[in-house]
Structures are given as structure tokens and as C-alpha cells.
Amino acid sequence: RLARLESVLPLASRAPIPLQTRFLLRLGDLSHDAHRIEEGRSLLKQGIALARRSDQTEILGNGLLILAVLEENASNFEAASALVREALTLSISEPALLSKLYRRIGCIAARTEEYSDALAHLKSALQLARQAGNLYLQVRTQDNLALLHLVQGRLNDAEHILSQALTLSRELGDPAEIVLIQCTRAILLLAKDQPGDARDALSESIDVYRETGAINDEVFCRLDRILVS
């Protein structure tokens, strides 16, 4: 996909401004995924600048979010937080995008150990995800909330949220989400000194992975955490 987009880059400058903006943001996002960080950052900034000039509010908010993820992954938490906060000042009406923004700033706050802010932001994100009817966002946000409760020792709260998330992930039918939630449940069950139940949760993750190949970087991080435990 990245190679295909790069091949038509010279033509993009002749496209309407909204299409140019989306093209640059998509290309920047894919470059980031390919670990071409500086190139991705440059393309995203170009797309954001176009969105600012042409008053494309939703697209600008999405561009700021994508760049915030890049900065967060580079451990530039202050810059990432500033980008999300800017996006939240925009007149964005789409609940799903607002949910993503609150989830992102909640995750950043959790990583910088601002736990009360993280909890408030993630609760807002979950409410907006429900408003949007977006099961994927609900599952991901519940997973983040559960991990936050885990870090702070609120194991029963984490278990309750993960139970909801597992039900939703099965309803969603996305194997990657089932694997992710079961890995998080395994971490929780180990914390509760229930190694047998943790093994069962992890076994389902492995079975789903073997059947579907559904795994991503987040799951690898969870598996690593379980093995270290």
C-alpha cells in the first residue's frame, strides 16, 4: 500500500485540497507504520498544515491524532499530549473521533503516571465509543481501563471491565481483539494468584492465534509481560 501511494505522489498535488490532505495523512501514517519516522512526521505535518488552511475540522483532528500517536510511540509525551489537546479544542462533532482523542490522551496520561487524569479521559472515551456504537473502540478502551485499574491494584474493577470487553470482543468477531483481551486477562489472573485460570485464558489466545494468525505489537507486549511474570 505504501509503495502504491508513493508511486502516485506526484499526481496528488493536482488533486482537490481535501483529497491532498487525506493522501498526505494516509501516506504519513503508513510511513510511520513502516518505521520511517521522520518521513512520516514530515508528511503528517504537511497534511495538517493543508487541513488548517482549508478549514477541514474533522480531517485536522484526525491528522493531529495520527501525529500524536507517532510522538507517543517516540516517547515524546508532552508533544503528543499537546497535539491531542489542540484537537479537542476543535469543533468536532463525530463521537468516534472524539472517543479516539480522549482514549489517546488517557493512554498518554497513564504512561506519564497521571492516573486520575487517565481515568477521567478513558471514561469519557468509553462513553463516546458507546454513543458512536463502535464496538472496536469500546473493547480497546475497556482494555486500557482494565490495565489502568491493574496498575493501581484495583483488581476487581479490572476483572469486571475485562469481562465486558471479552463479551464485546466475541460479539465483534475480531480474533485480534479476543487475543488481546485474553492476554490482558491472563496478566490480571496472575496478579490475583490464579495461574490455572491465567493459563486457560492464555491458551485461548494461542488457539485463536494459531487458527487465524491474529496478533499485533500490542499482543506481543502482553505476551512478553506474561512470560516475565
Side-chain angles (χ1 to χ4, degrees):
R1 286 182 297 174
L2 179 57
R4 286 201 302 271
L5 283 178
E6 287 178 326
S7 68
V8 298
L9 182 58
L11 301 175
S13 61
R14 295 196 289 254
I17 294 296
L19 185 58
Q20 284 186 52
T21 305
R22 291 181 183 277
F23 181 87
L24 288 167
L25 294 178
R26 183 61 178 150
L27 189 56
D29 195 18
L30 288 173
S31 296
H32 169 221
D33 289 344
H35 306 290
R36 290 155 53 174
I37 305 302
E38 290 306 320
E39 184 178 341
R41 183 183 281 118
S42 174
L43 288 163
L44 289 170
K45 286 182 175 180
Q46 290 177 53
I48 287 167
L50 269 182
R52 287 191 209 281
R53 291 202 299 271
S54 53
D55 197 28
Q56 302 173 73
T57 302
E58 306 285 335
I59 297 175
L60 174 57
N62 191 56
L64 290 167
L65 173 62
I66 297 169
L67 184 55
V69 172
L70 183 153
E71 297 297 357
E72 183 188 353
N73 288 342
S75 297
N76 299 326
F77 301 124
E78 188 174 343
S81 182
L83 288 162
V84 179
R85 290 185 189 282
E86 180 185 349
L88 287 170
T89 66
L90 302 173
S91 299
I92 294 171
S93 58
E94 184 185 330
L97 178 53
L98 286 168
S99 176
K100 291 176 185 178
L101 289 166
Y102 276 107
R103 176 176 173 246
R104 193 78 270 131
I105 200 167
C107 290
I108 295 166
R111 292 186 69 178
T112 55
E113 300 183 2
E114 300 169 83
Y115 295 131
S116 60
D117 287 345
L119 182 60
H121 293 318
L122 289 172
K123 282 183 175 180
S124 294
L126 183 56
Q127 182 180 359
L128 286 159
R130 286 171 173 157
Q131 184 181 332
N134 189 314
L135 295 185
Y136 173 83
L137 281 176
Q138 289 179 55
V139 170
R140 283 300 175 109
T141 306
Q142 285 173 325
D143 181 66
N144 297 137
L145 275 166
L147 286 171
L148 181 62
H149 286 312
L150 250 172
V151 167
Q152 296 187 280
R154 295 191 295 268
L155 302 187
N156 290 336
D157 289 338
E159 187 169 26
H160 176 67
I161 290 172
L162 283 173
S163 176
Q164 295 177 345
L166 185 59
T167 299
L168 278 181
S169 68
R170 296 194 197 285
E171 184 179 339
L172 186 61
D174 186 335
E177 301 312 304
I178 296 172
V179 171
L180 181 69
I181 297 302
Q182 286 291 49
C183 283
T184 308
R185 284 189 68 242
I187 295 169
L188 167 68
L189 292 164
L190 285 173
K192 295 187 73 172
D193 197 23
Q194 297 176 19
D197 292 335
R199 191 178 301 111
D200 290 342
L202 189 57
S203 292
E204 181 180 357
S205 294
I206 293 169
D207 289 344
V208 172
Y209 167 62
R210 284 174 175 163
E211 291 171 11
T212 66
I215 200 163
N216 55 34
D217 288 345
E218 285 187 77
V219 174
F220 276 121
C221 289
R222 303 289 162 82
L223 287 171
D224 182 63
R225 186 169 172 180
I226 293 165
L227 291 171
V228 168
S229 299

